[in-house]
Amino acid sequence: RRETLVLARDPLGVRPLYTCEHGGRLFFASEVKAIFAADRSIPRALDRAGLDETFTFWGPLAPRTVFEGVEELEPGAVRIHSRAGRTTRAPRPPAFGGFRGSLEDATEAVHAALEESTRLRMVRADVPVGSYLSGGLDSSLVAALALRAHTGRLTTFSLRFEDAEYDETRFQRLVAERLESDHREIVVSSAAIARAFPDVILHAERPLLRTAPAPLFLLSRLVQREGMKVVLTGEGADEMFAGYDLFREAKVRRFWARHPESTWRPLLLDRLYPWLARSPVARRAVARQFFGRDLARHAEPGFGHAPRWENARALRRLFSRDVLAAIDGRDPARELVASLPEHAGWSSLALDQFLEMKTLLAPYILSAQGDRMLMAHSVEGRFPFLDPNVAALACSLPDAYKLRILDEKHVLKRAARGLVPDEILARKKQPYRAPDAAVFVGPAAPDWVPDVLSERAVASAGIFDSRAVARLRAKCASSASVSNADAMAIAAVLSTQLVHHHFIQGGRS
């Protein structure tokens, strides 16, 4: 009756929402491919600025996407379309700080909030609800709390890897045995990741700098085949409770920056990345040079993220001349920092957490690894750690309750005592990872790779310099061990080429 359309997106960006205005009409959908299917006359082209952001933050920042003319509603935003035009209400920034209780009070509050958020996601379903089980703290705690709200045996699902460097089977089975769950597993090989990658990109609808979404795509297929339609997962815990190594790294670097001439302060770098076979701190001199960059800027927003952003941004060397000309003068990191909401009074950790939520949680973790890989097989993901009450509580807690010296997720570990095995609480954090570039090079590479990386295909897409891509491919194929930087580069090029193949070239027929 009011001739008004209201579009709103959840506060943390769990679900996507895209819009496109073309030919006097407004299209909106949860997938870009639905918009393109609705009107074949909608122009299709990759957005150079969106690609530049992807090759900085690992994903484009809403409202920008990697497609020209297509926008994504920002998490927490409300957009109103009416005869009078379009208005957008921006999301409110989180409220950091304010909790006045003791650490014990915080532990009890976190336990209660998570128990309730998990219970609600179990009981508000007319189908059975299962739970992912990675072997880490977050999914183990969610599964344990889910069991409390469940009648009968809980069904749990785990990923196993043929490559021992990535495999967490021992911890997964330990938790499954404790919960006495009906446990299902899938063993993922490098070859399976490579075969699935084109379908992964079709559903992610964006370039990826990692192959990590592919095993989750295969895991959700297992869930579907087992007849389950809803699963709980542990996404969001690292953002809410300061679990990433990035937060610990930034704290060490800021501590070092206060006395940059110190020889013992940078020794704390040795405590970072114990899980990584090719750890950046393994060679001390190189680590000091890498992590010691720009220490004088330790009080500026983005200081903690700068090394990762600069690493990804180095991929620009692969862009074609046309793309480099289109993004000349742009600096996505500087633009992001300039657009930050008022953050006076925020601690360094709070600002790091906010930037992680804005640049990684919705644009990559949820879009590429979460909702999109689940819905590829019509499985609904539910995320207790992203419940608004849990998120608000986590943001309100003092820094020391979350990152206690260098002990990440301290309050969460306390809340999990008695619910998950002690071995899970005591183990060093091992973030979810998957085999990277090696799956695409060498004699075992799938048939589609040469086609996508051919000189003709690269030139047709116009995004990358074909000679630079050829050199990268030859380097990876001839190397016994592919570096982290080259692994990121080959995944980025392949996925971008696949986006062009699926959405741009495919739309011309």
Side-chain angles (χ1 to χ4, degrees), residues 464-479:
F464 302 108
D465 181 285
S466 58
R467 291 169 297 180
V469 171
R471 287 193 297 268
L472 172 65
R473 185 182 174 193
K475 180 182 178 183
C476 291
S478 63
S479 176

Side-chain angles (χ1 to χ4, degrees), residues 21 49 56 69 84 137 168 241 257 267 277 284 300 338 384 388 399 408 438 494:
E21 296 184 44
T56 303
L137 170 64
E168 300 181 70
F241 292 95
L267 294 178
R284 188 170 286 173
E300 297 180 13
D399 290 353
E408 77 283 351
L494 277 170

Side-chain angles (χ1 to χ4, degrees), residues 19-23 25-28 32-45 67-70 503-504 507-508:
T19 65
C20 175
E21 296 184 44
H22 172 71
R25 304 170 71 195
L26 170 69
F27 301 85
F28 62 96
V32 176
K33 63 178 70 69
I35 292 176
F36 286 155
D39 188 336
R40 302 287 291 183
S41 70
I42 295 176
R44 302 191 188 192
F67 300 103
E68 288 185 6
V70 177
F503 296 95
I504 310 303
R508 294 172 182 163

Side-chain angles (χ1 to χ4, degrees), residues 270-427:
D270 294 349
R271 298 179 60 180
L272 303 175
Y273 308 104
W275 46 269
L276 189 58
R278 297 188 296 272
S279 172
V281 302
R283 292 185 295 168
R284 188 170 286 173
V286 175
R288 289 192 183 194
Q289 182 180 12
F290 177 79
F291 292 113
R293 289 180 296 179
D294 298 324
L295 291 182
R297 305 176 65 178
H298 66 91
E300 297 180 13
F303 170 79
H305 288 75
R308 191 183 74 196
W309 292 346
E310 290 169 9
N311 268 4
R313 195 157 171 75
L315 297 174
R316 288 177 118 212
R317 70 186 187 278
L318 300 169
F319 281 151
S320 67
R321 289 182 180 179
D322 288 345
V323 172
L324 288 173
I327 61 176
D328 183 44
R330 292 192 74 250
D331 185 341
R334 186 175 64 239
E335 293 172 8
L336 170 63
V337 169
S339 70
L340 289 176
E342 176 59 43
H343 54 272
W346 286 12
S347 67
S348 296
L349 179 61
L351 192 52
D352 287 346
Q353 285 185 267
F354 175 74
L355 285 171
E356 196 71 353
M357 294 177 204
K358 186 172 181 64
T359 63
L360 198 73
L361 180 61
Y364 176 75
I365 296 294
L366 294 171
S367 295
Q369 292 187 185
D371 176 78
R372 306 316 291 269
M373 295 303 101
L374 286 156
M375 287 306 296
H377 295 106
S378 300
V379 177
E380 178 191 342
R382 297 187 176 182
F383 310 88
F385 284 104
L386 298 180
D387 179 276
N389 293 328
V390 173
L393 172 62
C395 289
S396 76
L397 298 177
D399 290 353
Y401 290 7
K402 293 176 282 190
L403 186 58
R404 192 173 184 85
I405 307 179
L406 292 181
D407 182 30
E408 77 283 351
K409 294 189 288 198
H410 182 76
V411 69
L412 192 62
K413 293 175 182 175
R414 292 173 65 97
R417 287 177 185 169
L419 288 170
V420 303
D422 291 342
E423 294 91 332
I424 301 297
L425 296 176
R427 68 176 295 207

Side-chain angles (χ1 to χ4, degrees), residues 193-266:
I193 292 173
R195 286 195 301 269
F197 203 61
D199 286 335
V200 167
I201 300 305
L202 179 64
H203 290 282
E205 300 186 326
R206 64 192 61 207
L208 301 177
L209 276 59
R210 286 287 186 263
T211 61
L216 293 169
F217 172 87
L218 298 172
L219 182 61
S220 70
R221 186 170 67 188
L222 171 66
V223 174
Q224 181 203 48
R225 289 176 175 175
E226 293 294 333
M228 302 288 290
K229 296 185 178 298
V230 181
V231 290
L232 305 180
T233 87
E235 270 96 356
D238 288 315
E239 290 82 2
M240 298 303 143
F241 292 95
Y244 286 125
D245 283 304
L246 180 144
F247 301 130
R248 300 164 69 235
E249 173 192 306
K251 187 171 184 177
V252 170
R253 293 178 65 228
R254 289 188 177 101
F255 179 67
W256 179 13
R258 289 196 287 274
H259 293 282
E261 73 286 349
S262 172
T263 57
W264 66 267
R265 289 194 176 207

